[in-house]
Each structure stands twice: as structure tokens, then as C-alpha cells.
Amino acid sequence: MNKSANVALTLPDGSVRTYPGPVTGSILAADIGPGLTKAAIAIVVNGDQWDLSREIEQNSDVAIITNRDEAALEILRHDAAHILAEAVKELYPEVQVTIGPAIDNGFYYDFARDIPFTTDDLAIIEKRMVEIIERDEDIIRSEMDRNDAVKFFHNMGEDYKAELIAAIPEGQAITLYKQGDFIDLCRGPHLPSTGKLGKDCFKLMKVAGAYWRGDSNNEMLQRIYGTAWRTKKELKAYLIRLEEAEKRDHRKLGKQMKLFHFQEEAAGMPFWHPNGWTIYQEIEAYIRRIQKNYSYQEIKTPQLVDRILWEKSGHADKFHEHMYTTESDNRTFALKPMNCPCHVQVFNQGIVSYRDLPLRMAEFGSCHRYEPSGALHGLMRVRSFVQDDAHIFCTEEQITDECITFCKMLLEVYKDFGFEDVKVKFSDRPDVRAGNDNVWDKAEAALIAAVDSAGLDYTLNPGEGAFYGPKLEFVLTDAIGRDWQCGTFQVDYVLPERLDAQYVGSDNDKHRPVMLHRAILGSFERFIGILIEEHAGRFPMWLAPTQVVVTGITSDQDDHVRSVYKQLIAAGLRAEMDLRSEKINYKIREHSHAKTPAIYVVGAREAEENTVTVRRLGSKQQRTLDLNAAINDLKAESLAPDQR
RNA sequence: GCCGCUGUAGCUCAGUGGUAGAGCGCGUCAUUGGUAAUGACGAGGUCGGAAGUUCAAUUCUUCCCAGCGGCACCA
């Protein structure tokens, strides 16, 4: 070790402060100014986050983290988790603590306790947390030998902690943090004292079950979630954001806007109503046009296929518990959970020449999967769904080009739906998989080469590939910053082998094609759910179930309203008319609530002049336009993005 | 599937060991009003399902189903 008597600390602005010996972040902060003493939370030492109380013994580049820094949030939240654990241990000493990390927007802590926490407990715990913050306990770091630490926690009755430490490699020092009487295993860093967390900057949110170490074979722990922020204002803003997100909830809007419903007799399987089905059909027609442009052929295959096919394909092996089956003819049939094996059957009819490749086969195939009951979530996770599914049969040499073209197509589609921000993840071989390692080496190499050629940045998602091949996953970000994984592109050498797909090459020999599985939207159900939340129900004109409502001021205009309505329908628009004897205020309010994008009002004046007064959703402005001009505007606006 | 919570009118929700209520919506009538709620009257519920405790269950208990929040899973 290169210890010098003097310790020189270089600050971000380049200035250097020298101390005669080891120095702590706190001392440094105090030297710089009293304001910083108060605001300081931790210190970055040569890129690592340290506690303010930890002694710096060598010359270092340092930066003090204050509560104004983003980095402060994670530390703060981690501390909130510790304060939560301390409060729980004080209130319920029989509870064992396990882990409690900072997460997006907050923190959680998992406890082992026979009796689950209730929401009433949350208020009590929260109160105790405030007390701990007011006590302003010092948070003290110490190190302990691994084996000593295991004993230490066992003696305290904290078996889970002991198990965690036992899993840390031998010889590695263990850091402990003590605040009041509460000691926890932790990497740190932490705030200097509990008082640094604002007592009105956090809130406990919910209780939930969570498996020990995330494994469903293990016992279930009691998890308490909380949110924590630097300021009360930030906390409030976050809570408002949650409320806003709730308003967009597609399940709520789906009901309100009469798009679809679910019921007990068909859990997880949507009943589409006329409004929702209109959106669905628009999207399907759009995708069909795009696919045609990209030289896909559309097919349709059976819903019910003998189990034997699923055994051959390997799906039954891995997913039989998630497949619906039915008996008939002394055979077991499975409702198809996916389309690919059926597409291979189509491919296998007759003889395909290398000249026919790449062969792009698309199907809006209705699939069923018995999803675990706890997984169901509105349209986002269903048991019956349709994908914009397609399989490309091609040669190895064609993979790259196909991938490039697909990426282009996918970005085009996302853009048409208003999603410009797209992330790509590359998922490689999972532990449980079909096909030998040579095949996987080949498939992964081909896919990486392809995505590189497509010019897309991607992040690695190790072990998350499909059982038959690696995949790219396309993630889009919605209007309120949430990520949704939708598109996929998978390279598959396994299924063609298992289902014996062949083509005749230019050498007149038989060869295996490679199969590329791909989807852009993923499931229509889920994508529509995403769109509902993206637009908060205010669909763009081309998707709006009702595009325009015509209504009169008084019943004297009824005939004229009928005539305008007929012209709108004749123009191919999804129009409604409202002839009820309600006041115009009432009708405007109602149709605005229904999120109808355009309202045409005809009073005596408009009827006389053959005009309409147009009111657009979200605007109080009224514009009186010539009827034909208004209809033409609406027609232009209601074209799908690819038709403009 | 696992942990917890919830399930009352079409919707949102209140309520009670003695078989139920509001607002909105719906229907009828009146009203003909220029851009986010006109008024009156009326219809509508075996209180998620099954069993149990009780003189009596929508209310208490158990089981089942579904939904919600998480966890696990997601070809």
C-alpha cells in the first residue's frame, strides 16, 4: 500500500485540499462550508460511494454527494429501508429481517414473520419510522470477519442474514451498519444519521408476499414497499404521478369506453365490444397492409392440433402445464399456444426450392395459454390472444438481411403508433434449452451479426432466450415513461430440425432452413392495452371507435343532423348522431367524456348555411366550417399513418 | 401457483346479525336550451357461489370462484 502521511483530496473543480493524515468526508464537507455539512449525504472516492464517516487514507479524487444530487436518491432510499427494518424490529421483535434494497422510486424490505402485516400495521410502522428519524441516530459502519458475522447473526436469531453472509465468498470482509440498536449486513454507503431522511419525504405504500431469494420453491416472506424522496415536494409529485397513471389504467378506461370486458366464466379472455373491436380491426388491417408491403404471405392454421405435434416440437415438454387440452376421437388435442409448429406444417407441404426462400409466412392466429391465475392482468396478460406473428424460412446467409429488413419494418410501425423511443435487448441461451451448443453458437453469432448490421444498439439479457433459440426483444417507452416489451426476433435452428423442414438447394440436395420467429406488436390484446394507456383513451382519429358525433342545438335541426350524419357515413367515417332533447352543454359534456375526438354542432344558422361548428376534444375552440370542407378534413385525418 | 386485500343496482360506492341505500346511468313526461350536468316521476339488487353457526346471515366461520396489489412464471 502506498500510504502517505499527507492525504490530498482532489475536488471535482480541480482544487486540492491536503490533510496531515486520514480524513473523512464529513471533515472535508465541514471545511468547505456549513451549508455543505448540512447537505452532505455521502462522498464519492475514486468512483466509489463511501460513507461520510469513513476515513480516507490515500490521495483521492473525491466528490461530495449532497441531497441535490440524483445519486443521493438511492442512498436515501436504502436508508429508508433500514429505518423501516429498525422500526419493524422495535415493534415486532420476533420478526427476522432479510433484505431491503432501494428500487425505482423507493425501497422495500422483506421480513420473515408468521403473521402477515396488514395495512393497519403500515400506519403504525410509519409512525415509528418518523420517531427513528427524529431520534437522529448515527449510522455507524464497521467490518467483521465473515465467519464471525455468520455466528453474530445466528446468535441474534437472524438466520436469513446468516445465510446471506454464508453465501459471500470466504475471506471477504463483511460490512455492518448500526443505527440505534439495529444492526444490519450492508454494503453501504449510508447517510451519516437517520435524521438525514426527511420525515415527510417517505411513505409506506403496500404489503405483499415475496419468495425468499426470489425462488418460488422457498418460503414466502412479507415485503413492505415504500417510496422515498429528497423533498416533500418530490414525494407529492410522485404520488400525483401515480394517480395520473391510475387514470390511464386500460382496465378502467376499457370499461368506461365500452371497449371490452372480462367475466368469471372466461377468466383472462377478453370479450371485445364494438368500440374495442373497431380499434382491433383498424390495427389488424394496418399490419396486414404493412406485411403485404414487406412481402409476407398470410395464412390461417387450426386452433386445435393433436398433442403429438406439440411433443415433436418440444413445446409440450416445457409448457404442457400451460396448454389447454381436450379429448376427442381417442386423441388428445391441444389448443395452440403458438403458431410456429403449424407454420412448419404448411412449409412442409410440397417441395420448397431455395428459390422460394426467404419465405415469409404470417398469421393472425388465435392462441390460448393457461397462464397462472396470479399472472392475469387486464389485456396485458391474457389467456387468449392473437399475435402479429410470422415466421421467415430462410438460409443461414439470409438471416442478416432479414433481420435488417425486419428492424426497419418494426421501427416504421412503432413510429406510426407514435413510439419513437425503442430499446433492444439481446437474450442468449437459457439453462433449459433444446439443441446442442454448436447450434446455439451458430444461432447467437448469426443474430449478433444481424443486429450489428441493422445498426441498432442493444443490451445483453443473459439466459433469457427462448428454449429453441436466441432472441432480440424490442422495448418501447410510453408517454409516461414506462417500458413495454413488444417486438421480438428469434433465430431458430431447432424447430426446423424437430419438425423436419427441408428445402432443395441449388446443389439439388436437401437442406434445413433456418426459421426466424418475429412479431412487432406482440399480442393485439396487450398492444391495445398499451395504446389505451399511452393515449389515456384519447385515440388518434384513425383508431377512435367513434370519430365524430353530430348533434343539433334544438330539435328543429333534427332533419339536418340526419343528413349530415348520412354524409359522414357515406364518407366512410365512424359517425354517430345525437338527437336527444338535451341541452347542448349536456351533450358536449357527455361526448367529451366519451373521448369522441370531434363534435359537429348544427344549429339553425349552420343548417341554413350548410356548415357545421366543429369542436375538437381537448379544445374549447369552435370553428364553423363548410360541411364538405369539414368532412374532407376529417377524412384526411382519419387515414391510417401508412395511407397518408 | 404463492402471500395479502376485495366482491352490494348497468357504473362508482355507502351500509347492517332482523332479507338494503346514494350519485351517475337507464325509462317516461315536461323542457327547445349556442358548446363540459334542465327538472319531475319511475323501473332496477335471492348483497360473487356453496356449505356451516344461529330463532334469524348480505353481515360471523369454512371452502370455492373471480378481481386487485405484489412474488414466481411468461414458448
Side-chain angles (χ1 to χ4, degrees), chain A residues 45 54 94 156 195 383 476 601 613 639:
Chain A
V45 179
R54 194 165 160 193
E94 77 284 2
M156 280 204 303
R383 287 179 173 158
L476 46 85
V601 176
T613 298
L639 287 175

Side-chain angles (χ1 to χ4, degrees), chain A residues 192-360:
Chain A
S193 66
T194 57
K196 290 274 185 179
L197 177 67
K199 62 183 176 188
D200 48 8
C201 300
F202 80 96
K203 185 172 159 53
L204 296 185
M205 302 298 282
K206 53 200 168 196
V207 286
Y211 296 109
W212 167 235
R213 300 192 140 184
D215 184 338
S216 58
N217 296 312
N218 290 342
E219 64 273 33
M220 186 151 273
L221 306 171
Q222 305 300 323
R223 176 172 295 179
I224 296 178
Y225 281 98
T227 183
W229 299 85
R230 290 170 295 198
T231 62
K232 190 175 170 181
K233 205 172 149 194
E234 276 185 350
L235 171 65
K236 203 175 159 197
Y238 173 67
L239 296 176
I240 288 170
R241 245 188 299 147
L242 284 186
E243 277 172 36
E244 292 299 319
E246 217 171 296
K247 283 184 200 154
R248 290 168 176 259
D249 190 316
H250 74 282
R251 294 167 298 186
K252 198 172 156 179
L253 288 170
K255 203 179 269 183
Q256 267 172 27
M257 299 175 73
K258 299 189 175 78
L259 303 178
F260 57 86
H261 89 267
F262 288 97
Q263 67 186 51
E264 218 172 305
E265 289 80 357
M269 312 197 197
F271 291 68
W272 286 102
H273 292 216
N275 285 348
W277 193 242
T278 299
I279 297 168
Y280 188 111
Q281 284 177 301
E282 276 296 333
I283 296 172
E284 188 182 87
Y286 163 83
I287 290 292
R288 191 168 268 138
R289 289 192 300 269
I290 298 284
Q291 285 180 347
K292 208 168 238 171
N293 283 346
Y294 280 85
S295 307
Y296 283 75
Q297 298 175 297
E298 190 177 326
I299 61 169
K300 199 79 173 173
T301 62
Q303 302 251 87
L304 217 48
V305 181
D306 196 307
R307 197 192 154 89
I308 289 167
L309 182 65
W310 306 106
E311 276 158 11
K312 273 192 205 160
S313 71
H315 289 96
D317 236 17
K318 196 163 188 290
F319 296 108
H320 65 275
E321 280 176 1
H322 301 285
M323 286 164 66
Y324 289 99
T325 56
T326 175
E327 309 283 329
S328 211
D329 276 348
N330 293 321
R331 288 163 164 237
T332 304
F333 292 89
L335 265 171
K336 71 173 166 186
M338 53 177 355
N339 303 304
C340 25
C342 291
H343 287 194
V344 179
Q345 306 315 303
V346 174
F347 182 85
N348 284 355
Q349 295 304 113
I351 297 158
V352 173
S353 151
Y354 72 96
R355 297 172 195 276
D356 301 322
L357 304 183
L359 201 157
R360 307 182 189 89

